[in-house]
Amino acid sequence: MEGEKLPRISRKGIQEYLNKEMPHVELQNITAKGLIIDHARKGFVRCTFIIPPSASDAHGNWQVGAIATIVDIVASMAICTETAIIRGNVTMDYSISYYSSAKIQEEVEIVAKVVGNKGKLSSIRVEVKKKEDGELIAIAKQWTASNEFRAPWINHPSKL
């Protein structure tokens, strides 16, 4: 799948790809379960997510690690719409600021926008807000680079 190109940028195509369970990425599979893509266009993705009980801390709040993981996933989808490369991007710099919390079963909106793309280097901004009142939960900024890395679990054809 590394370097695989999307035949067409579409919300349905990205949603189908997201719904596939992928080996060796169990955390992402668990975290993204229930993520719905509302809108996708070049350099932009807007998703809706209902926070599951599995993503909560001891107080019933959305756990910050789960927020960071889903923000990374949605940022990757935005890059995919910009570059049409599904896999092979590596996060180079990632910062996230938390402003409020959300409880389990609350609905949130996650918006990712590619703010810059210079060949192999992309900059993405992601905002997470409560769907009900628009209260800001988190803002993230991320830099990624395309990579030709080939994971060891991917079968490579012999050169012989």
Side-chain angles (χ1 to χ4, degrees):
M1 294 225 195
E2 188 171 316
E4 180 181 339
K5 296 259 185 191
L6 282 175
R8 188 177 112 218
I9 297 171
S10 72
R11 183 183 59 79
K12 182 181 176 190
I14 298 171
Q15 187 75 52
E16 286 173 0
Y17 181 77
L18 178 65
N19 291 340
K20 285 195 287 189
E21 295 237 342
M22 300 193 315
H24 308 288
V25 288
E26 185 175 346
L27 180 62
Q28 287 88 337
N29 291 335
I30 292 168
T31 304
K33 196 171 191 93
L35 184 67
I36 298 167
I37 301 168
D38 297 325
H39 184 77
R41 66 176 187 267
K42 187 173 180 166
F44 179 88
V45 175
R46 184 179 62 236
C47 300
T48 302
F49 185 64
I50 296 175
I51 303 161
S54 61
S56 70
D57 63 14
H59 305 289
N61 294 317
W62 193 11
Q63 207 272 343
V64 294
I67 296 171
T69 302
I70 206 155
V71 162
D72 190 46
I73 291 167
V74 176
S76 295
M77 288 190 291
I79 294 167
C80 174
T81 66
E82 178 78 23
T83 65
I85 296 174
I86 295 174
R87 312 260 312 144
N89 290 305
V90 176
T91 301
M92 304 301 292
D93 185 46
Y94 185 63
S95 67
I96 187 165
S97 297
Y98 298 96
Y99 296 94
S100 66
S101 61
K103 297 285 188 186
I104 56 173
Q105 297 306 314
E106 265 192 271
E107 188 173 25
V108 295
E109 180 179 73
I110 305 162
V111 176
K113 182 178 180 186
V114 175
V115 292
N117 183 343
K118 299 287 184 187
K120 290 187 173 190
L121 190 62
S122 298
S123 175
I124 307 94
R125 177 184 163 98
V126 182
E127 288 188 4
V128 182
K129 295 180 179 182
K130 292 182 182 180
K131 189 107 177 189
E132 182 180 29
D133 61 7
E135 182 182 357
L136 185 63
I137 297 170
I139 294 178
K141 295 175 190 165
Q142 183 173 342
W143 283 92
T144 63
S146 294
N147 187 5
E148 295 300 321
F149 169 76
R150 300 222 183 263
W153 56 84
I154 297 175
N155 292 329
H156 302 286
S158 172
K159 292 183 181 179
L160 297 177

